[in-house]
């Protein structure tokens, strides 16, 4: 490798005609003629692919029950869509109005006098049933809904009361608007109304039936002429503290509906009772046979249901579900290999005494470093992009074939993760190049990058530090850049464990990447300043 580098350096001593373009070509020639650098770069891409695919095999080896394929919502995201439904198909425009006078819950375990508070991720419920305990999930839901079809994942708009978050209007799984706060009871019911006008669904709320306020509006393009309209109840699992962290206990909710009325083009027909999806949704399940039922008494209904109508998120609430990041665990090994190449790309010239030749041949010292950064960053980006573009779809297909569903994300998110892998590897490689220029020792530069980039991420995601410390590490160190690979989103209306250990970064993807870019810019600026002042 040294002989090749010597020849490449001496070939670049000719006067630099053509300015920066010729310099860039000379640095690229230098890089590609050193076999060790080229092979290591190719090896980094192969390692990312192989480790990612081995991770899917390891998942399959563990065995156990895995959930089936997840339904996909209108936005392309994986969703839970499971609830008890009293409904009928209604054509054209119209209005559905109902009064919700009660929402109670029951969880598995010994019967008790009440549930935990919102701070413990559950809300107080009513009387527990036989063999259960009174507990109501904060995001248990009872309300009315206009749904395109009975198929899971189909478009919908709904207005509802919840266990601890008052009245809400939600549509197409990811949209959530707050209405009146407070719990419902026979003494303090909530009247809910949905009005359809073409593709527009408007939700209203009232406490007395005389004065109505709008909660929100949803536009559902392509809504069926005859959607399913009716009453629903569902309940996700209840999050509760355990000795090892947050656990999830199956729960069921029961809602009481009074004075159901249809107006404005919709006329009452036969109400049908059914279950959309399965009781054992990813975010909610209940094993008792009463987990899904509807009882009619005159014009009133009492519905019991379990499940959820919400996006699927990562963490314990989606146990057994693979995320896009699971297929990119090899990026750490690939990154370290590229850091070794990037640091050596400059320090090898210091070690061999060739840096003076390189700088003398260039049109300026800073331009030489810029040319090296462009070459190194480009090959690192190509290696990361190519490996991620292969590993993500192939790993997802293999995982699904092995019985482990993949958390579906919108195409734009998947593209950002794939391109983000290349960007993180490229930026970190430029960081290593800059530190190699400043420190002049490849081993020291490599160690600094690993300690600043890889180690904080491993500590933050290994669940060995307090959550606050983990968040801090992923905010102020270069490891924040890995946020660009996060595919799972955080939703306020979905209870889960949102922490680095479950795949959630404290910074948004591009914010985290900006932190890595800031470190790289500072290191590169220091490298340029020192290179201009040093005698080489």
């Amino acid at each position: 490798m040294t002989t090749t580098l010597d020849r490449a350096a001496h070939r670049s001593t000719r006067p630099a005609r053509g300015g920066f373009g010729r310099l860039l070509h000379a640095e690229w020639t230098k890089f590609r003629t050193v076999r060790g650098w080229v092979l290591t770069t190719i090896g980094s891409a192969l390692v990312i692919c192989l480790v990612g695919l081995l991770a899917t095999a390891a998942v399959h080896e563990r065995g156990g029950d895995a959930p089936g394929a997840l339904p996909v919502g209108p936005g392309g995201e994986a969703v839970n869509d499971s609830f008890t439904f009293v409904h009928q198909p209604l054509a054209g425009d119209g209005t559905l109005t109902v009064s919700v006078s009660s929402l109670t819950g029951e969880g598995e375990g010994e019967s008790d006098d009440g549930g935990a508070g919102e701070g413990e991720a559950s809300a107080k419920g009513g009387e527990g049933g036989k063999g259960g305990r009174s507990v109501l999930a904060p995001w248990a839901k009872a309300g009315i809904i206009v749904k395109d079809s009975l198929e899971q994942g189909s478009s919908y708009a709904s207005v509802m009361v919840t266990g601890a978050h008052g009245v809400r209007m939600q549509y197409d799984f990811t949209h959530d608007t707050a209405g009146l706060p407070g719990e419902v009871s026979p003494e303090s019911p909530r009247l809910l109304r949905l009005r359809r006008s073409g593709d527009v669904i408007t939700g209203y709320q009232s406490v007395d039936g005389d004065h109505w306020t709008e909660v929100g509006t949803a536009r559902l393009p392509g809504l069926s002429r005859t959607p399913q309209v009716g009453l629903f109840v569902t309940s996700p699992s209840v999050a509760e503290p355990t000795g090892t962290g947050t656990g999830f206990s199956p729960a069921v909710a029961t809602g009481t509906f009074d004075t159901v009325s249809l107006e404005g083009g919709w006329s009452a027909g036969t109400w049908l009772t059914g279950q959309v999806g399965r009781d054992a949704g990813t975010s909610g399940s209940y094993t008792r046979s009463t987990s899904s039922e509807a009882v009619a008494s005159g014009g009133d209904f009492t519905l019991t249901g379990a499940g959820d109508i919400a996006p699927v998120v990562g963490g314990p609430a989606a146990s057994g579900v693979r995320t896009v990041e699971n297929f990119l665990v090899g990026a750490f090994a690939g990154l370290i290999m590229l850091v070794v190449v990037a640091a050596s790309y400059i320090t090898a010239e210091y070690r061999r005494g060739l840096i003076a030749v390189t700088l003398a041949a260039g049109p300026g010292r800073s331009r030489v470093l810029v040319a090296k950064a462009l070459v190194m960053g480009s090959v690192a980006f190509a290696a990361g992009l190519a490996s991620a573009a292969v590993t993500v779809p192939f790993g997802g297909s293999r995982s699904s074939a092995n019985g482990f569903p993949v958390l579906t994300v919108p195409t734009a998110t998947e593209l950002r993760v794939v391109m983000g892998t290349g960007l993180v590897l490229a930026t970190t490689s430029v960081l290593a190049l800059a530190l190699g220029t400043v420190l002049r020792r490849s081993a020291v530069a490599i160690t600094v990058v690993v300690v600043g980039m890889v180690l904080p991420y491993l500590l933050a995601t290994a669940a060995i530090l307090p959550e606050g410390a983990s968040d801090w590490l992923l905010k102020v160190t270069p490891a924040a850049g890995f946020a660009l690979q996060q595919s799972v989103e955080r939703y306020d209306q979905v209870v889960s464990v949102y922490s680095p250990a479950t795949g959630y970064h404290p910074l948004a993807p591009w914010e985290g990447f900006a932190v890595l870019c800031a470190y790289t810019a500072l290191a590169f600026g220091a490298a340029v300043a020192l290179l201009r002042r040093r005698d080489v």
Side-chain angles (χ1 to χ4, degrees):
M1 185 181 80
T2 302
T3 303
T4 305
L5 180 60
D6 289 341
R7 290 198 300 268
H10 285 296
R11 280 200 296 270
S12 67
T13 58
R14 294 191 294 269
R17 300 187 191 93
F20 184 74
R22 184 179 181 87
L23 174 63
L24 189 62
H25 181 268
E27 286 300 328
W28 164 242
T29 300
K30 187 183 301 182
F31 182 90
R32 67 181 177 83
T33 52
V34 179
R35 181 178 299 179
W37 294 345
V38 174
L39 292 178
T40 303
T41 301
I42 296 173
S44 69
L46 294 176
V47 165
I48 294 173
C49 293
L50 290 175
V51 173
L53 297 181
L54 285 174
T56 65
V59 168
H60 182 54
E61 293 285 334
R62 284 201 300 267
D65 295 330
L70 298 173
V72 177
E77 62 286 309
V79 298
N80 286 311
D81 198 5
S82 177
F83 55 94
T84 300
F85 197 16
V86 170
H87 60 96
Q88 58 180 294
L90 294 173
D93 297 338
T95 301
L96 169 63
T97 303
V98 68
S99 174
V100 183
S101 58
S102 174
L103 178 60
T104 59
E106 179 182 317
E108 292 188 342
E110 294 297 326
S111 179
D112 57 26
D113 294 327
E118 170 69 10
E120 296 176 332
S122 64
K124 187 175 181 180
E127 293 300 321
K130 181 179 179 180
R133 60 193 176 94
S134 173
V135 59
L136 180 62
W139 283 106
K141 304 167 183 176
I144 52 180
I145 186 170
V146 175
K147 189 167 175 62
D148 190 66
S149 72
L150 296 178
E151 181 181 353
Q152 286 186 290
S154 62
S155 183
Y156 76 94
S158 63
V159 64
M160 67 197 73
V161 298
T162 61
H165 298 281
V167 174
R168 317 290 291 201
M169 181 169 181
Q170 297 180 353
Y171 67 97
D172 285 354
F173 302 96
T174 60
H175 302 277
D176 173 59
T177 303
L180 291 170
E183 300 178 357
V184 297
S185 67
E187 296 76 25
S188 180
R190 291 289 183 272
L191 284 85
L192 308 175
R193 175 175 291 170
L194 280 178
R195 176 173 294 156
R196 177 185 182 178
S197 178
D199 290 345
V200 177
I201 309 295
T202 306
Y204 300 90
Q205 61 191 346
S206 175
V207 294
D208 56 14
D210 295 323
H211 303 87
W212 291 86
T213 58
E214 181 178 318
V215 183
T217 298
R219 182 174 294 276
L220 309 180
L223 181 63
S224 169
R225 182 179 177 276
T226 310
Q228 297 293 327
V229 180
L231 326 174
F232 77 93
V233 167
T234 192
S235 175
S237 298
V238 176
E240 298 176 321
T242 68
T244 58
T246 300
F248 288 85
S249 175
V252 67
T254 299
T256 302
F257 300 82
D258 311 314
T259 60
V260 180
S261 65
L262 294 168
E263 301 172 319
W266 286 347
S267 57
T270 302
W271 290 104
L272 306 174
T273 301
Q275 171 76 24
V276 173
R278 59 185 187 273
D279 284 347
T282 306
S283 290
S285 62
Y286 200 68
T287 57
R288 292 185 59 204
S289 60
T290 58
S291 59
S292 175
E293 64 180 12
V295 178
S297 176
D300 301 340
F301 293 87
T302 300
L303 276 63
T304 298
D308 205 357
I309 312 174
V312 176
V313 299
S319 178
V321 179
R322 303 296 94 194
T323 64
V324 173
E325 297 96 306
N326 292 141
F327 312 128
L328 294 173
V329 293
F332 296 102
L335 181 144
I336 293 173
M337 295 172 70
L338 289 170
V339 165
V340 171
V341 173
S344 300
Y345 189 29
I346 184 70
T347 59
E349 296 195 35
Y350 279 115
R351 188 171 63 253
R352 297 293 302 166
L354 300 174
I355 188 67
V357 177
T358 298
L359 296 179
R365 294 187 174 191
S366 60
R367 289 191 175 189
V368 171
L369 195 57
V370 170
K372 285 182 176 292
L374 287 174
V375 170
M376 190 64 238
S378 296
V379 296
F381 177 76
L385 180 66
S387 57
V390 170
T391 305
V392 168
F394 190 65
S397 298
R398 189 179 183 199
S399 185
S400 297
N402 287 341
F404 289 86
V406 179
L407 189 65
T408 308
V409 297
T411 301
T413 299
E414 186 169 311
L415 288 174
R416 188 250 299 155
V417 172
V418 170
M419 292 190 63
T421 300
L423 289 172
V424 170
L425 266 58
T427 307
T428 307
S429 296
V430 174
L431 175 62
L433 174 71
L435 290 174
T437 305
V438 172
L439 301 172
R440 299 192 180 191
R441 296 289 184 272
S442 59
V444 179
I446 293 166
T447 300
V448 171
V449 174
V450 171
V451 170
M453 184 76 178
V454 179
L455 185 59
Y457 183 86
L458 295 178
L459 290 174
T461 58
I464 60 177
L465 296 175
E467 187 173 326
S470 297
D471 286 346
W472 181 82
L473 281 176
L474 294 184
K475 285 181 179 179
V476 302
T477 68
F482 285 115
L484 202 53
Q485 290 185 313
Q486 178 175 308
S487 67
V488 289
E489 292 192 41
R490 177 172 184 158
Y491 295 96
D492 292 337
Q493 71 270 30
V494 182
V495 175
S496 186
V497 180
Y498 295 102
S499 69
T502 57
Y504 289 89
H505 291 253
L507 297 178
W510 293 107
E511 290 177 350
F513 182 61
V515 173
L516 173 60
C517 289
Y519 275 100
T520 302
L522 288 173
F524 196 81
V528 168
L530 289 174
L531 198 61
R532 285 175 174 173
R533 289 171 19 198
R534 280 175 175 167
D535 292 329
V536 294

